[in-house]
Amino acid sequence: MVTNRPIMAALMLDTLDDFTRSLDGMDRASSEERLPGFSPVSWTVAHVASHIDSWVNNILAGHPRNDYLTGSAFFKGATGEGAEWKTVSTAFYEVLGKARTFLEKVTEAELARAELYQGSMQPLRGKLVTGNYRLARLTAHIYYHIGEIVTIRTARGEKVGDFPGILTITSETNVAA
């Protein structure tokens, strides 16, 4: 149960739970298969892990980036190829563990701190961006990819759950912040 945690940290933890749940039962063959019009699920997982690693683990928590996930191979517009499931899932769970540790302890003051955006989104370049904003954007981005993964898996005839799942945000969560 989530208690006394900044609302965006609590929401991001729920988002990470849902993303992980969207992968339940995924095997190597189906994760690396590419349906027409989609990237393989393995590439999408690496793409999401790269964002979590950059925005949460590196920028907000100050940890060095995961070597496998740096570079442009998993950026928007990349080929969507070259993501071997075992390597991707290892990197994803490593990044996930670091992100969870940070999000479980982060304070509202830390998330309210604004820093100059220096990433690839041109409209944000040079603007001050808070940790709360980063988590909000990342939550939306991850749910987009949950939808993509669920669509691919459903098209293959796999059974997947409903999303979002039961959110653990409680009345004790700091929702006024």
Side-chain angles (χ1 to χ4, degrees), residues 13-14 22 29 44 48 65 118 148 170:
L13 286 164
D14 285 336
S22 79
T44 302
V48 168
R65 292 286 315 271
Q118 299 176 12
E148 180 182 19
T170 70

Side-chain angles (χ1 to χ4, degrees), residues 68-86:
Y68 177 69
L69 299 171
T70 59
S72 61
F74 304 117
F75 286 3
K76 179 181 177 183
T79 66
E81 298 295 338
E84 189 272 327
W85 181 242
K86 184 175 180 185

Side-chain angles (χ1 to χ4, degrees), residues 88-142:
V88 167
S89 61
T90 298
F92 170 68
Y93 286 106
E94 176 185 308
V95 163
L96 183 68
K98 287 181 181 179
R100 284 185 175 289
T101 297
F102 171 77
L103 293 165
E104 288 168 356
K105 296 177 182 172
V106 69
T107 66
E108 184 58 42
E110 290 171 299
L111 293 178
R113 186 175 53 239
E115 295 182 10
L116 203 59
Y117 179 82
Q118 299 176 12
S120 62
M121 292 186 283
Q122 289 300 323
L124 291 179
R125 281 193 154 232
K127 293 190 168 108
L128 291 175
V129 177
T130 66
N132 280 316
Y133 178 82
R134 286 181 188 278
L135 293 180
R137 287 289 299 221
L138 188 56
T139 295
H141 186 91
I142 292 171

